[in-house]
């Protein structure tokens, strides 16, 4: 943890208070969530109700907050006792009871990834350990039911579970253990994914447990999510070949006890769409989406059920949760359709939509990248009749060590297209490409980071959105702003304007003295910005601040007939000056 210099504890008592407050603050931080409060929404013990439930689930959005009051005596010279109050926010929490997939495409691994992608905490109870990959299942080792019971008690007795999602339940004994546990520790909803056969066709549960599923598990379910094969098995081998068959199956399954049923039609013959049928006892909903042609479908059922559970834990109604889950799976499949992992017939897909972006092509930021920092200007490019891509390529060939793409007036779609085109130019040279202000464009183009002004999104928010690997720079004029940039997790600061500049109206200058003051106080690498060109760059680098790593230029290179020549000359001059200084 980083501690501000002005907050360093002066004595042991203050030190204890400071560290204690910091620890409590971290421990009690959390996410707000939306929750059901209508007790009609979920059955406390998951027993079949004597009367039908209402057609729509009534929800009320609120925040669950428990207050932790902490006081500590800090009496010195008769000073009153100090106290403070910290609020702890209840996290939405899904418990998955399922088997482990060594290939990590399905099972608890898929459940964990799906819940994390949807912003929900997920705990696990493992019912079986499987040896499987993209070719199929090579082995299954069932966990003893006594140990399954112990896992359930450990989590349910302590961790405030909202929703339980079930997957592979390989034995009658484990089904009974789960039923007893949920009666002892009621939760708000149970999502039952009746996993019996893997996507590759391997049997994962003994057919003898079908009766236990029907008689004990379905009565607990707030939603049942079988695919066509599972629905057929639960209904004694009923043939399911049309959407009409699916609707009939949903109604029959609903009569067995679950509050709602989602029959998944991903394997429906001769269907151009991916059709699922949702039935809540009163209304049918046919949910259609374009069929994604890909081999990477392993774990889609587990993921869909876990996503439904996650959305329920956050407070969605059942139908909304189902729709969101279907859209999420569709998006993940589309993103992952060309990923190649494994040699078998069915590969996994990317729950976080990140694997293609993290293929090792990105550039890791270093403070030395700030040496010759080129900031683009579309107006100057238009003046000289130069496309942005050409300007960026010439700047890099001339020696620019980092590029900031600044497009103040471009439409978002055009900005993203330009960023992607420039990124293709920068990557072979290992030159980072940052986006000015626009985090959305940086995400969409997979740029190497962003540069933010004082009026833009705070750096800590940008970090949460971009992740730890992207570079974040912040424009600063004062010591206080530089310190805040460090606290917020920025990688560098841009200090200026050092001199007056024509690219920013009403920009207050800090001068060389202000630049030096900020540099000496900053814990981050610094690049000098504002009005810098070949005539004044050397005095800037000569201010005597070790963490001043370079200069940023705009018109000095881009408002010239030859970007490459001007950049090359400036780079040579800066290199010679630094060499002499050392």
């Amino acid at each position: 943890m980083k501690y501000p210099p002005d907050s360093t504890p002066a004595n042991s008592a203050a030190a204890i208070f400071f560290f204690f407050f910091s620890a409590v603050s971290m421990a009690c931080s959390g996410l707000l969530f939306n929750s059901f409060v209508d007790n009609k929404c979920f059955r406390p013990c998951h027993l079949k109700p004597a009367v039908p439930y209402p057609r729509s689930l009534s929800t009320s959005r609120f925040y669950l907050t428990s207050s932790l009051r902490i006081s500590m005596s800090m009496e010195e010279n008769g000073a009153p006792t100090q106290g403070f109050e910290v609020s702890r926010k209840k996290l939405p929490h899904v418990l998955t009871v399922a088997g482990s997939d060594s290939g990590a495409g399905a099972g608890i691994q898929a459940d964990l990834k799906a819940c994390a992608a949807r912003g929900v905490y997920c705990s696990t109870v493992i019912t079986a350990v499987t040896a499987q990959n993209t070719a199929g299942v090579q082995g299954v080792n069932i966990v003893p039911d006594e140990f399954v019971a112990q896992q359930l008690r450990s989590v349910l007795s302590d961790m405030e579970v909202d929703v339980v999602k079930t997957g592979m339940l390989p034995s009658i004994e484990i089904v009974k253990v789960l039923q007893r546990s949920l009666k002892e520790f009621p939760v708000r909803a149970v999502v039952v994914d009746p996993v019996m056969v893997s996507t590759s066709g391997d049997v994962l549960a003994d057919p003898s447990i079908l009766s236990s599923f029907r008689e004990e598990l379905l009565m607990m379910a707030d939603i049942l999510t079988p695919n066509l094969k599972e629905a057929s098995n639960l209904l004694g081998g009923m043939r399911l070949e049309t959407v009409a068959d699916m609707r009939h199956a949903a109604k029959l399954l609903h009569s067995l006890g679950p509050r709602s049923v989602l029959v998944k039609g991903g394997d429906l013959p001769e269907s151009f769409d991916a059709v699922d049928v949702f039935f809540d006892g009163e209304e049918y909903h046919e949910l259609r989406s374009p069929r994604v042609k890909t081999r990477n479908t392993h774990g889609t059922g587990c993921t869909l059920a876990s996503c439904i559970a996650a959305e329920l834990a956050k407070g969605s109604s059942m139908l909304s949760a189902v729709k969101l889950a279907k859209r999420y799976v569709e998006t993940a499949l589309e993103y992952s359709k060309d990923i190649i992992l494994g040699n078998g017939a069915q590969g996994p897909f990317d729950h976080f939509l990140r694997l293609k972006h993290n293929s090792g092509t990105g550039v890791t930021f270093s403070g030395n990248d700030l040496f010759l920092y080129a900031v683009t200007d579309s107006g100057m490019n238009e003046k000289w009749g130069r496309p942005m891509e050409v300007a960026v390529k010439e700047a890099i060939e001339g020696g620019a060590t980092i590029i900031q793409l600044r497009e103040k007036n471009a439409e978002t779609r055009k900005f993203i297209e330009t960023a992607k085109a420039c990124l293709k130019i920068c990557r072979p040279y290992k030159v980072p490409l940052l986006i000015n202000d626009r985090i959305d464009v940086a995400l969409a183009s997979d740029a190497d980071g962003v540069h933010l002004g004082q009026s833009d999104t705070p750096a800590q928010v940008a970090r949460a959105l971009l992740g730890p690997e992207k570079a974040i720079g912040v424009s600063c004029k004062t010591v206080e702003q530089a310190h805040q940039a460090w606290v917020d997790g920025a990688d560098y600061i841009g200090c200026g304007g050092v001199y007056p500049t024509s690219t920013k109206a009403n920009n207050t200058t800090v001068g060389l003295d202000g630049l030096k003051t900020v540099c000496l106080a900053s814990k981050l690498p610094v690049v000098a910005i504002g009005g810098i060109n070949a005539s004044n760059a050397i005095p800037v680098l000569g201010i005597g601040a070790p963490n001043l790593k370079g200069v940023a230029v705009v018109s000095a290179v881009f408002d010239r007939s030859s970007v490459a020549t001007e950049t090359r000359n400036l780079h040579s001059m800066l290199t010679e000056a630094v060499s002499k200084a050392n």
Side-chain angles (χ1 to χ4, degrees):
M1 172 174 284
K2 300 172 181 176
Y3 300 105
D6 57 347
S7 299
T8 303
N11 52 50
S12 59
I16 293 171
F17 179 84
F18 181 82
F19 285 110
F20 185 70
F21 179 84
S22 300
V24 171
S25 297
M26 289 187 293
C28 295
S29 63
L31 300 174
L32 299 179
F33 80 107
N34 299 322
S35 175
F36 287 108
V37 292
D38 188 337
N39 60 12
K40 296 178 183 177
C41 291
F42 298 103
R43 301 195 293 274
C45 296
H46 306 286
L47 302 177
K48 188 69 175 179
V51 295
Y53 280 87
R55 177 179 303 178
S56 61
L57 297 180
S58 171
T59 64
S60 177
R61 300 184 181 275
F62 70 107
Y63 299 126
L64 283 185
T65 305
S66 60
S67 294
L68 175 64
R69 293 181 179 273
I70 304 170
S71 61
M72 175 175 288
S73 178
M74 294 287 288
E75 296 180 2
E76 293 183 12
N77 301 323
T81 299
Q82 302 295 318
F84 60 90
E85 181 179 291
V86 178
S87 295
R88 185 180 66 179
K89 310 303 181 185
K90 170 71 171 65
L91 294 173
H93 180 180
V94 170
L95 166 62
T96 173
V97 184
S100 171
D101 173 1
S102 58
I108 61 164
Q109 287 85 351
D111 299 338
L112 286 165
K113 288 184 281 187
C115 287
R118 300 307 303 157
V120 170
Y121 186 82
C122 183
S123 55
T124 62
V125 167
I126 300 176
T127 60
V129 178
T130 70
Q132 60 179 299
N133 52 27
T134 61
V137 179
Q138 292 79 47
V140 177
N141 193 337
I142 298 175
V143 175
D145 55 285
E146 296 88 351
F147 193 67
V148 172
Q150 188 174 353
Q151 294 178 74
L152 283 164
R153 175 171 290 276
S154 292
V155 178
L156 290 170
S157 65
D158 173 60
M159 299 182 68
E160 301 178 55
V161 174
D162 297 301
V163 180
V164 167
K165 177 263 176 186
T166 72
M168 180 181 176
L169 302 176
S171 71
I172 294 174
E173 292 75 16
I174 288 177
V175 173
K176 292 181 180 294
V177 162
L178 176 61
Q179 185 195 43
R180 289 195 296 269
S181 297
L182 289 175
K183 285 184 176 179
E184 183 178 359
F185 302 103
V187 295
R188 291 167 38 210
V190 175
V191 177
V192 174
D193 185 25
V195 176
M196 300 174 195
V197 180
S198 71
T199 313
S200 58
D202 297 284
V203 176
L204 298 176
D206 194 314
S208 65
I209 73 167
L210 279 173
S211 59
S212 182
F213 261 80
R214 286 190 290 260
E215 295 169 9
E216 301 181 60
L217 190 62
L218 300 190
M219 292 292 294
M220 298 187 296
D222 288 274
I223 184 170
L224 176 70
T225 64
N227 59 28
L228 295 181
K229 292 179 182 178
E230 292 159 349
S232 176
N233 288 337
L234 287 169
L235 294 172
M238 175 181 173
R239 293 175 65 86
L240 301 176
E241 297 178 343
T242 66
V243 174
D245 293 340
M246 293 170 63
R247 291 168 70 100
H248 184 46
K251 186 174 183 179
L252 291 176
L253 290 170
H254 183 269
S255 69
L256 297 178
R259 182 174 171 190
S260 54
V261 177
L262 179 70
V263 178
K264 301 173 293 188
D267 298 323
L268 194 67
E270 300 179 3
S271 173
F272 294 102
D273 297 331
V275 185
D276 301 331
V277 172
F278 175 80
F279 181 61
D280 61 4
E282 295 187 12
E283 289 185 326
Y284 292 96
H285 297 267
E286 291 182 14
L287 309 176
R288 296 177 177 267
S289 62
R291 186 178 293 276
V292 180
K293 293 183 179 180
T294 176
R295 66 182 279 274
N296 298 322
T297 58
H298 185 49
T300 49
C302 302
T303 298
L304 182 73
S306 292
C307 190
I308 292 171
E311 297 305 322
L312 291 175
K314 291 192 287 185
S316 292
S317 68
M318 187 64 75
L319 182 56
S320 293
V322 170
K323 289 180 177 179
L324 282 167
K326 183 173 176 64
R327 189 182 307 140
Y328 166 74
V329 172
E330 176 193 350
T331 302
L333 284 175
E334 178 65 32
Y335 174 87
S336 309
K337 63 183 179 182
D338 299 323
I339 291 174
I340 299 176
L341 186 62
N343 299 310
Q346 289 181 315
F349 61 94
D350 180 10
H351 291 73
F352 298 102
L353 314 184
R354 295 287 295 172
L355 290 177
K356 291 193 292 188
H357 287 174
N358 294 334
S359 56
T361 58
V363 179
T364 301
F365 173 79
S366 164
N368 293 328
D369 293 329
L370 302 174
F371 182 67
L372 182 47
Y373 190 127
V375 183
T376 67
D377 188 291
S378 55
M380 295 175 188
N381 288 332
E382 291 176 6
K383 172 184 174 181
W384 292 97
R386 213 165 23 220
M388 181 66 76
E389 296 91 319
V390 172
V392 168
K393 190 173 191 299
E394 288 190 19
I396 293 174
E397 290 176 344
T401 53
I402 190 169
I403 301 291
Q404 181 190 135
L405 192 61
R406 185 168 64 181
E407 289 277 27
K408 293 295 185 182
N409 300 315
E411 294 181 353
T412 299
R413 184 185 296 273
K414 178 62 177 176
F415 198 170
I416 293 172
E417 291 173 354
T418 301
K420 288 182 176 180
C422 291
L423 201 61
K424 289 181 180 179
I425 297 168
C426 292
R427 287 281 162 85
Y429 293 91
K430 300 297 181 183
V431 171
L433 176 73
L434 308 187
I435 305 298
N436 178 261
D437 298 350
R438 298 288 298 276
I439 297 172
D440 58 332
V441 174
L443 285 168
S445 64
D446 193 31
D448 298 304
V450 294
H451 185 87
L452 305 169
Q454 287 296 314
S455 60
D456 296 325
T457 304
Q460 60 181 349
V461 177
R463 176 65 68 207
L465 293 170
L466 293 171
E469 73 277 5
K470 301 297 185 182
I472 297 176
V474 179
S475 295
C476 300
K477 293 181 182 293
T478 67
V479 170
E480 292 76 18
Q481 291 174 351
H483 176 71
Q484 190 61 49
W486 174 72
V487 170
D488 287 347
D491 294 287
Y492 75 91
I493 65 169
C495 184
V498 179
Y499 302 112
T501 174
S502 60
T503 60
K504 280 194 174 184
N506 303 318
N507 185 33
T508 305
T509 58
V510 299
L512 293 180
D513 290 339
L515 173 64
K516 183 174 183 178
T517 299
V518 171
C519 285
L520 294 178
S522 175
K523 295 178 175 63
L524 296 171
V526 182
V527 59
I529 58 177
I532 299 172
N533 53 48
S535 67
N536 57 27
I538 301 305
V540 172
L541 287 183
I543 63 172
N547 60 340
L548 178 61
K549 298 298 183 180
V551 296
V553 293
V554 187
S555 58
V557 295
F558 291 112
D559 196 11
R560 300 291 188 273
S561 59
S562 175
V563 174
T565 299
E566 295 299 329
T567 309
R568 189 175 296 112
N569 291 340
L570 185 56
H571 186 278
S572 177
M573 184 178 67
L574 294 173
T575 301
E576 183 179 355
V578 170
S579 178
K580 289 181 178 180
N582 294 334

